[in-house]
Amino acid sequence: MTADGIFIIDESSPTENTPVDPSDLSCSVRALQQDLDELKSVNESLRKENHSLREQLNTARNGGEGARSRSVRPSCDAEFARALKVFYHSMTSVRGQLQRLRRHRPSVRIHVLSSVLA
């Protein structure tokens, strides 16, 4: 501590004065390189898994649209909507036939049938 009340910290350590063995450094570098390679491998596998999970999430959000939707059985709502469409189409055609029958005037056929039966 100085007279002004300032603390001085010496950052030098006793190891700086001792010589470093190059073989220790090369072992440390090799170990760090192996750690780096392992971390890169883990990172790549996590990226692939993340990509796969994002695709699954998008597929789930979109209701399985695309090629997968053709292989999946249609929902009950879709089947019900198709059945209603067919039913109403049939009812419309039956109503049209009924209206045509009501407009039809029994003329010659009834006279012919009544004369044949008599």
Side-chain angles (χ1 to χ4, degrees):
M1 187 166 113
T2 63
D4 297 328
I6 298 174
F7 288 95
I8 297 175
I9 299 173
D10 186 15
E11 293 186 13
S12 65
S13 64
T15 57
E16 287 182 10
N17 297 334
T18 59
V20 178
D21 186 18
S23 64
D24 288 342
L25 283 178
S26 65
C27 287
S28 297
V29 169
R30 269 189 254 126
L32 289 173
Q33 186 64 40
Q34 287 176 345
D35 289 345
L36 179 66
D37 291 340
E38 289 175 18
L39 289 173
K40 283 182 179 180
S41 173
V42 168
N43 189 23
E44 182 62 29
S45 64
L46 288 174
R47 284 179 191 263
K48 287 178 183 177
E49 184 179 5
N50 188 21
H51 180 70
S52 172
L53 291 173
R54 282 181 192 263
E55 284 181 349
Q56 289 176 6
L57 180 63
N58 288 335
T59 301
R61 282 183 183 163
N62 296 334
E65 294 175 358
R68 298 180 77 187
S69 68
R70 293 185 194 110
S71 63
V72 177
R73 187 172 178 261
S75 69
C76 294
D77 291 338
E79 289 180 22
F80 182 66
R82 269 189 230 105
L84 275 177
K85 182 179 177 181
V86 168
F87 173 75
Y88 283 118
H89 179 71
S90 299
M91 291 302 294
T92 303
S93 63
V94 167
R95 189 176 78 195
Q97 290 173 355
L98 183 61
Q99 287 175 350
R100 279 192 298 271
L101 286 174
R102 284 183 182 162
R103 278 186 252 127
H104 179 69
R105 299 185 190 267
S107 58
V108 179
R109 289 187 183 178
I110 290 180
H111 294 300
V112 171
L113 285 175
S114 62
S115 64
V116 172
L117 294 175

